[in-house]
Amino acid sequence: MIAGLALALALQSTPPRIDWPSLAPLPYRAEPQISPDMLAFVASEVTTRKCPLAIGPGLTLSVDVAVLVDAQDNIRTTVPRAIQCPTVEQYAAAMVAGAARGNLLPRRASADQWYRATVTFTWPK
């Protein structure tokens, strides 16, 4: 876990060139759900960190996350797409890593493969 986080942070400082539109969607068995506590945390981080993002009733905030999955369906690393709010980016990346463990459809990959997941926070009206 710590090695994966260190790798993700290293990749953040020298970001790989990720062709986001070309990444296949992460093959979840069941899509992760965003809880009210998760929404509250993200809203708090955006506000206290003074991130230049619009949040509030009826609004959504999406974070793309590149996910490297190995041939045994283990999550090797996650790399969030920058949205000018590093704590929310890292939170989304950690959410995806946690939600993907044991929750991926079987694949026929014989090597590591990159996927894309999008975490969408939606505040009720």
Side-chain angles (χ1 to χ4, degrees):
M1 175 73 174
I2 293 173
L5 181 58
L7 178 58
L9 291 174
L11 289 173
Q12 284 274 62
S13 62
T14 55
R17 293 215 183 263
I18 297 173
D19 183 8
W20 293 93
S22 72
L23 296 178
L26 189 63
Y28 286 120
R29 285 183 194 272
E31 287 288 326
Q33 301 300 308
I34 306 297
S35 73
D37 287 342
M38 293 172 172
L39 285 175
F41 176 79
V42 169
S44 173
E45 288 299 305
V46 168
T47 302
T48 59
R49 308 273 183 209
K50 297 183 170 84
C51 298
L53 304 170
I55 59 167
L59 297 177
T60 62
L61 171 62
S62 294
V63 182
D64 288 329
V65 179
V67 183
L68 183 60
V69 180
D70 69 17
Q72 292 75 39
D73 293 337
N74 297 308
I75 305 305
R76 297 280 312 256
T77 193
T78 56
V79 180
R81 190 175 202 174
I83 60 166
Q84 299 181 335
C85 196
T87 57
V88 173
E89 295 163 15
Q90 289 301 317
Y91 184 65
M95 286 176 55
V96 168
R101 284 191 184 91
N103 186 29
L104 296 180
L105 293 170
R107 303 171 317 117
R108 294 184 182 179
S110 60
D112 293 358
Q113 184 173 350
W114 285 96
Y115 291 91
R116 177 184 34 82
T118 301
V119 179
T120 302
F121 302 97
T122 303
W123 287 269
K125 291 183 180 183

